[in-house]
Amino acid sequence: MKKFIEYFTDEHLTLLRSQLLFSGLNDHEIFMFIQYSQPFYANIRDGKSIRIAGEYSHMTGVMISGSAHLYTVDYEGNKTLLKSIGSADSGTIYSMFDYYNSLLELTANEDSELILIPPEKIFIAEEKLATIQQKIVVNMIASQRQAFLDLSEHISCLSQRNIRDKILKFLKIHCEREHSYSFTVPFSREELANYLAVDRASLSRSLGELKSEGILDFRKNRFTILKTNIFKYE
């Protein structure tokens, strides 16, 4: 990876301003922090992947444009889908609190840009940037709240006893999140099977059964709940 400052433009400043990690900072403060922290930069083309390990594994990642799926990879090369990350969301992918010492893989859903910030540049106070660093730490704590919520939702899906219940739990979460009985999920069938830790053929069969029972309808990754009494939301 190369240093972000070599690619930094006014457009990037606009993108960073919209990120939760830099909330409350003005353009000058953001640029000062980028100059000081010297983040690493990666441009990931649509459909391509990068792996993050070694010296980068403890850094705070921010998706500043585009979107991607985040996977962990075990020693045999098997991948587990953790979540979908978009710059329009909080943008913070992970930090030293989340997947420390894990091999991570990001697969872009569209052309995307990522920066990685060394944690010492955030947590070790520099006299001239102490106020800026304090704001970023507060924002990081806020971003971790969403990370823990995502993890809790994932565990609640995986803890269900059978594929059918895993599917219904996953769809209920999205129904409540979107406040709608019709919504689009960020995963293909293969990705959803990976996320729920089930066989793809078994997933397709269970979805077909739910559809034939009139509980839901779907087309690709667009779902509509038909029996709304089982998915009440406030």
Side-chain angles (χ1 to χ4, degrees):
M1 292 189 185
K2 297 185 178 181
K3 292 298 181 70
F4 181 44
I5 198 68
E6 299 175 16
Y7 300 88
F8 190 84
T9 65
D10 288 342
E11 183 180 353
H12 286 129
L13 193 59
T14 301
L15 294 170
L16 291 172
R17 196 189 311 129
S18 68
Q19 296 298 317
L20 175 59
L21 195 65
F22 298 101
S23 177
L25 300 179
N26 60 40
D27 290 354
H28 178 64
E29 290 173 325
I30 293 173
F31 185 66
M32 282 181 63
F33 180 76
I34 294 300
Q35 282 187 310
Y36 166 70
S37 62
Q38 294 289 304
F40 293 93
Y41 172 80
N43 191 325
I44 316 171
R45 295 298 181 186
D46 183 14
K48 300 297 183 181
S49 301
I50 64 167
R51 288 189 173 182
I52 303 170
E55 64 178 302
Y56 304 109
S57 65
H58 68 299
M59 297 184 184
T60 295
V62 182
M63 183 72 69
I64 59 175
S65 69
S67 61
H69 290 321
L70 178 64
Y71 298 85
T72 57
V73 185
D74 67 20
Y75 65 94
E76 293 182 336
N78 300 311
K79 298 191 296 183
T80 300
L81 178 59
L82 296 174
K83 56 184 176 179
S84 178
I85 298 292
S87 60
D89 306 321
S90 67
T92 304
I93 296 174
Y94 68 96
S95 74
M96 58 188 296
F97 304 117
D98 294 317
Y99 312 113
Y100 185 66
N101 277 341
S102 296
L103 175 58
L104 299 174
E105 181 173 293
L106 277 171
T107 301
N109 303 320
E110 56 188 309
D111 289 350
S112 304
E113 293 176 288
L114 166 74
I115 60 172
L116 295 169
I117 305 171
E120 64 272 13
K121 300 298 185 179
I122 298 175
F123 298 109
I124 300 178
E126 174 68 22
E127 184 177 356
K128 294 181 179 180
L129 287 92
T131 301
I132 296 173
Q133 290 171 304
Q134 182 182 30
K135 291 179 181 179
I136 290 175
V137 169
V138 171
N139 292 336
M140 176 176 282
I141 293 171
S143 73
Q144 292 305 118
R145 180 181 180 278
Q146 183 59 49
F148 288 129
L149 176 60
D150 291 341
L151 180 60
S152 176
E153 290 176 345
H154 195 182
I155 291 173
S156 70
C157 292
L158 295 177
S159 64
Q160 302 303 309
R161 292 181 177 272
N162 55 59
I163 297 176
R164 182 189 180 97
D165 288 344
K166 287 183 179 184
I167 294 170
L168 291 175
K169 183 64 175 179
F170 174 79
L171 295 178
K172 187 174 189 296
I173 288 170
H174 280 269
C175 179
E176 293 173 342
R177 181 182 298 168
E178 300 295 330
H179 283 265
S180 174
Y181 293 117
S182 185
F183 47 84
T184 300
V185 303
F187 304 135
S188 66
R189 286 291 179 274
E190 182 175 355
E191 292 162 348
L192 181 56
N194 189 314
Y195 182 82
L196 296 177
V198 300
D199 177 72
R200 180 177 176 178
S202 299
L203 173 68
S204 296
R205 182 167 57 251
S206 295
L207 283 171
E209 291 172 355
L210 290 167
K211 184 175 183 178
S212 65
E213 293 170 19
I215 294 175
L216 56 83
D217 195 11
F218 57 85
R219 181 176 177 82
K220 295 184 178 180
N221 61 342
R222 181 74 180 177
F223 287 83
T224 300
I225 306 303
L226 302 177
K227 288 191 176 180
T228 57
N229 60 306
I230 67 171
F231 278 1
K232 290 293 184 183
Y233 63 80
E234 297 181 359

